[in-house]
Amino acid sequence: MEVARLAGVSITTVSRCLNTPDKVGKKTLAKVRKVIQDINFSPNVLAQSFRRGRTNIILVVVHEIGSWLFADIMEGIRAVVDGRYSIILTESRPDVTENGTFIDMLVARQVEGVILLCSPLPFSRKLIELAKSKPLPIVIGLEPVSDDLGQFPSVHIDNHQAAYDATQYLIRLGHAEIVFVSGPKNSYVTKDRELGFLAAMRDGGLTVDSDRVIHSDLSANGGINSAIEILARPSRPSAIFCANDDVAMGVMSVATKRGLRVPEDLSVMGFDDTRYAALTNPALSTVLQPARDIGMKAAQKLLQAIERPDDDAARTEILPHRIVVRDSTALRR
Amino acid sequence: MEVARLAGVSITTVSRCLNTPDKVGKKTLAKVRKVIQDINFSPNVLAQSFRRGRTNIILVVVHEIGSWLFADIMEGIRAVVDGRYSIILTESRPDVTENGTFIDMLVARQVEGVILLCSPLPFSRKLIELAKSKPLPIVIGLEPVSDDLGQFPSVHIDNHQAAYDATQYLIRLGHAEIVFVSGPKNSYVTKDRELGFLAAMRDGGLTVDSDRVIHSDLSANGGINSAIEILARPSRPSAIFCANDDVAMGVMSVATKRGLRVPEDLSVMGFDDTRYAALTNPALSTVLQPARDIGMKAAQKLLQAIERPDDDAARTEILPHRIVVRDSTALRR
DNA sequence: CTGAAAGCGCTTACAG
DNA sequence: CTGAAAGCGCTTACAG
């Protein structure tokens, strides 16, 4: 290359100056570095990637960006991954076509590892297949893993227990008619939360009719629709526990528009403790997930899987949750 | 390669089957394709990228993810970019180390183009320098461009006019003491909005003391701090116009906690019309930016710049805005 | 329509 | 500590 010629050394030496400078003589190093400076040379990353068989790119699959929960997780991931890897962010929304290609990218070694912040079904299946043939650097974050994906390391809170705790908190406030607005039926996370809710109700000696759990798409709109349905019932619950904060915001907005006072007439509880939770009116009681930590731990596990595939990482790591009490929940009147 | 051997053809032919199948005989094509199927072959993308000098990766720089505004823009970008390019998302927050490397990625041709959804200063300078030496596929979205960056195509609304319209709307409601909570002082977008606000005030025959514009970091927290400052003043404004919805949410939460009724005691207006705007209590009046369109147009411009660099794209494209009236603004009492 | 050959810009044993 | 040479897996004129 140019640099080698100008510095009067071999290409090999230039390469060494770039990658293993301590294996090069002091003078040579200085000389080469000067030339690199002078002509403002930077190595062709494409060639390097090709030659090394590594791209230093990792993929993060989220359900959809635009949520502070994911943003905070991303921040954690970035803090760990730092300058060592670039991150390609992909949404797993059904309407996002990129979905299919993410597997391809893995196969073609365009990315070196994946952090799955959601584990929708079509993905899972393909992953299992792939994992059969070779070890895959994948870690699941946020969501508990399905049985299928149990082989991959994961980082999340104990969703069952967290929902149990939140429900128990509502019960202790005197609520007996509580509705849980869950997520989609095929979601593992919300299934766990649903079971935690049911367990707490049972342990509290409360009966739970089948209409006490209703499903939503975890969006604010989903919350709106759910609230409309719930509030149209002959007997109104005194508390609604939502599978995430967005749903809770939707529920609150409907309740307020119907003239119900939160929390006097209706307690509303969220899940996630996203940044908007403290800003709603009234401020939302919710369950905190340590989003940044989840991101960091997931990234750490992934880097380990990539760089030291032999060290068998602890399979799954459970992070602590916390009930955050604000103003949207109160003693039952 | 393996495939060539098994199919009994040359590597050249295999390559052609993959890239220009119409230049290959029908029978040969079928034969090769079968082998590809059989051994589940997929070309080494790294080698392709290297050889072609293209990565099919574009970079999107946002101020920070976790905002629906950016999420919606991203959706627009994705809709256009489709399966043709992968997207690397980078945040330009000062604490994100990746910042510096994005220029490197451009230089090293690791990415083929950039959509800048924010144009912070250190970036701009480096970009200018780069642009001197070679044509850079860059488009600015959302933000008007600084003079420096004027050479790049851009897509955004007329922020000056939008803020003018919003302010005029407030004035027509009878408000005279209006405070504008702007963004950081070095932000071009919010500067435009600020000027629009001032122009409308002037045209409305209203005097504007210097404390009628205050700066924030465009976060909800920034809104909170601003509101605290504003509401501590001896004479309280009857309306607060915020440079974005997050700030407005912060402002409303403070106002509400202080016992002020929105909009009866205080009108609050936002900007962006993010998904949460309709969910606040009361629902937020705001200025709609066509986020998805901005993303689509920006992506279209970028692809054109990448693929047909000679066609000189229209330099800047102004998209329509719209005042969205909800419940947080009302006639002055 | 097909193939032999050169080459993309690096890295990495290997030899000195 | 340094260099000559091979090779990573493709693509692409060039020739037939």
Side-chain angles (χ1 to χ4, degrees):
Chain A
M1 15 146 123
E2 185 73 359
V3 178
R5 201 174 50 69
L6 289 174
V9 298
S10 74
I11 293 179
T12 310
T13 300
V14 174
S15 175
R16 274 195 278 255
C17 289
L18 259 15
N19 304 311
T20 52
D22 37 308
K23 290 188 178 174
V24 179
K26 263 187 155 331
K27 285 183 190 168
T28 319
L29 185 58
K31 191 168 54 181
V32 172
R33 285 203 166 144
K34 175 156 184 1
V35 176
I36 289 178
Q37 276 275 321
D38 288 349
I39 69 171
N40 204 357
F41 169 84
S42 66
N44 180 321
V45 182
L46 265 37
Q48 287 179 323
S49 292
F50 165 54
R51 198 46 256 267
R52 294 172 179 161
R54 320 193 41 194
T55 54
N56 289 308
I57 295 177
I58 65 172
L59 189 69
V60 176
V61 184
V62 302
H63 174 249
E64 72 187 347
I65 62 173
S67 134
W68 277 113
L69 181 65
F70 287 126
D72 290 339
I73 294 177
M74 287 302 301
E75 194 193 306
I77 295 175
R78 288 213 156 87
V80 169
V81 151
D82 197 51
R84 298 200 283 159
Y85 292 82
S86 295
I87 298 172
I88 293 189
L89 232 196
T90 259
E91 287 175 282
S92 66
R93 286 195 279 191
D95 56 308
V96 173
T97 53
E98 241 178 315
N99 273 359
T101 62
F102 117 77
I103 299 276
D104 300 337
M105 295 182 69
L106 242 188
V107 174
R109 302 253 348 129
Q110 178 125 231
V111 305
E112 299 190 40
V114 179
I115 294 179
L116 269 185
L117 261 15
C118 57
S119 45
L121 276 186
F123 281 16
S124 314
R125 298 233 177 75
K126 288 196 187 174
L127 285 178
I128 314 294
E129 254 177 59
L130 268 181
K132 278 180 195 152
S133 50
K134 61 169 181 173
L136 277 189
I138 292 188
V139 358
I140 320 268
L142 206 55
E143 304 227 341
V145 291
S146 60
D147 292 342
D148 293 343
L149 290 172
Q151 53 196 307
F152 300 116
S154 65
V155 182
H156 52 85
I157 62 167
D158 183 338
N159 285 284
H160 185 285
Q161 186 65 43
Y164 186 98
D165 294 349
T167 308
Q168 197 169 59
Y169 158 73
L170 290 172
I171 293 173
R172 286 186 179 148
L173 287 177
H175 297 285
E177 295 93 37
I178 308 175
V179 169
F180 180 65
V181 182
S182 187
K185 289 189 178 157
N186 62 1
S187 158
Y188 288 99
V189 223
T190 52
K191 187 70 191 172
D192 266 13
R193 294 180 191 166
E194 202 176 306
L195 295 175
F197 163 73
L198 293 173
M201 291 295 276
R202 199 183 46 235
D203 291 356
L206 300 172
T207 56
V208 186
D209 297 338
S210 66
D211 66 351
R212 288 296 171 75
V213 171
I214 90 174
H215 296 273
S216 79
D217 62 359
L218 293 178
S219 74
N221 251 324
I224 289 175
N225 295 333
S226 303
I228 290 174
E229 184 187 328
I230 295 166
L231 298 180
R233 293 179 184 170
S235 85
R236 180 159 55 72
S238 66
I240 300 181
F241 176 23
C242 305
N244 76 10
D245 290 349
D246 277 15
V247 168
M249 288 178 72
V251 167
M252 282 209 287
S253 87
V254 171
T256 304
K257 281 195 184 111
R258 297 286 169 94
L260 290 174
R261 292 165 305 161
V262 177
E264 293 83 352
D265 302 325
L266 181 73
S267 283
V268 177
M269 180 119 199
F271 204 112
D272 286 347
D273 196 27
T274 53
R275 296 201 198 177
Y276 290 114
L279 293 171
T280 56
N281 175 22
L284 185 66
S285 297
T286 187
V287 180
L288 177 146
Q289 293 206 68
R292 193 162 186 280
D293 286 348
I294 290 177
M296 291 186 67
K297 294 278 185 198
Q300 282 157 4
K301 276 189 194 301
L302 185 68
L303 295 202
Q304 177 178 338
I306 292 173
E307 292 164 5
R308 301 189 309 281
D310 304 323
D311 302 18
D312 204 34
R315 252 32 195 130
T316 124
E317 185 152 345
I318 304 296
L319 265 33
H321 61 270
R322 189 157 53 81
I323 304 295
V324 177
V325 176
R326 295 203 179 87
D327 312 322
S328 66
T329 48
L331 279 173
R332 186 185 177 198
R333 297 248 167 137
Chain B
M1 13 144 127
E2 184 75 358
V3 177
R5 201 174 50 71
L6 289 174
V9 298
S10 74
I11 293 180
T12 310
T13 300
V14 174
S15 175
R16 273 195 278 254
C17 289
L18 260 14
N19 304 311
T20 52
D22 37 306
K23 291 187 178 175
V24 180
K26 262 187 158 330
K27 284 182 190 169
T28 319
L29 184 57
K31 192 168 53 182
V32 172
R33 284 201 166 147
K34 177 159 182 358
V35 175
I36 289 177
Q37 276 276 321
D38 289 349
I39 68 170
N40 204 354
F41 170 83
S42 66
N44 180 321
V45 182
L46 265 37
Q48 287 179 325
S49 292
F50 164 54
R51 198 46 254 268
R52 294 172 178 160
R54 322 192 39 193
T55 55
N56 289 306
I57 294 177
I58 65 172
L59 190 68
V60 177
V61 184
V62 302
H63 174 248
E64 73 187 345
I65 61 173
S67 133
W68 277 113
L69 180 65
F70 287 126
D72 289 339
I73 295 177
M74 286 302 301
E75 194 192 306
I77 295 176
R78 288 214 155 86
V80 170
V81 152
D82 198 51
R84 299 200 282 158
Y85 291 82
S86 295
I87 299 171
I88 293 190
L89 233 196
T90 259
E91 288 175 279
S92 67
R93 287 195 278 189
D95 56 310
V96 172
T97 52
E98 242 178 313
N99 274 1
T101 62
F102 118 76
I103 300 275
D104 300 337
M105 295 182 70
L106 243 188
V107 175
R109 302 257 342 132
Q110 178 125 233
V111 306
E112 300 189 40
V114 179
I115 294 178
L116 268 185
L117 260 15
C118 57
S119 46
L121 275 187
F123 282 15
S124 316
R125 297 233 178 73
K126 289 197 187 174
L127 285 177
I128 314 295
E129 253 177 61
L130 268 180
K132 278 180 194 153
S133 49
K134 60 169 183 174
L136 275 189
I138 291 190
V139 359
I140 320 268
L142 205 55
E143 304 226 340
V145 292
S146 60
D147 291 342
D148 293 342
L149 290 172
Q151 53 196 307
F152 300 116
S154 65
V155 182
H156 53 85
I157 62 168
D158 183 338
N159 285 284
H160 185 284
Q161 187 63 44
Y164 186 98
D165 294 349
T167 307
Q168 195 168 60
Y169 159 72
L170 291 172
I171 293 173
R172 288 187 178 148
L173 287 178
H175 297 284
E177 295 93 37
I178 308 176
V179 170
F180 180 65
V181 182
S182 187
K185 289 191 177 155
N186 61 1
S187 159
Y188 288 99
V189 223
T190 52
K191 188 70 191 172
D192 265 14
R193 295 179 192 167
E194 203 176 307
L195 295 174
F197 163 74
L198 293 172
M201 291 296 276
R202 197 183 48 235
D203 290 357
L206 299 171
T207 56
V208 186
D209 297 338
S210 65
D211 66 351
R212 285 298 171 75
V213 171
I214 89 174
H215 296 273
S216 79
D217 62 359
L218 293 179
S219 74
N221 252 322
I224 289 175
N225 295 332
S226 303
I228 290 174
E229 184 187 327
I230 295 166
L231 298 181
R233 293 179 185 169
S235 85
R236 180 160 54 72
S238 66
I240 299 181
F241 176 25
C242 305
N244 76 9
D245 290 348
D246 277 15
V247 168
M249 288 177 72
V251 167
M252 280 209 286
S253 86
V254 171
T256 304
K257 281 194 185 110
R258 298 284 171 95
L260 289 175
R261 290 165 307 160
V262 178
E264 292 83 353
D265 303 324
L266 180 72
S267 283
V268 178
M269 180 119 197
F271 204 111
D272 286 347
D273 195 27
T274 53
R275 296 201 197 177
Y276 291 113
L279 293 172
T280 55
N281 176 22
L284 185 67
S285 297
T286 187
V287 181
L288 178 146
Q289 293 206 68
R292 192 163 187 281
D293 286 348
I294 289 178
M296 291 186 65
K297 295 276 186 203
Q300 282 158 3
K301 275 190 194 302
L302 185 68
L303 295 201
Q304 177 178 338
I306 293 174
E307 293 165 4
R308 302 190 307 280
D310 304 323
D311 301 19
D312 203 35
R315 250 37 192 122
T316 122
E317 186 152 344
I318 303 296
L319 265 34
H321 61 270
R322 185 156 55 80
I323 304 295
V324 177
V325 175
R326 296 204 179 88
D327 312 321
S328 66
T329 48
L331 281 173
R332 185 184 177 200
R333 297 245 166 141

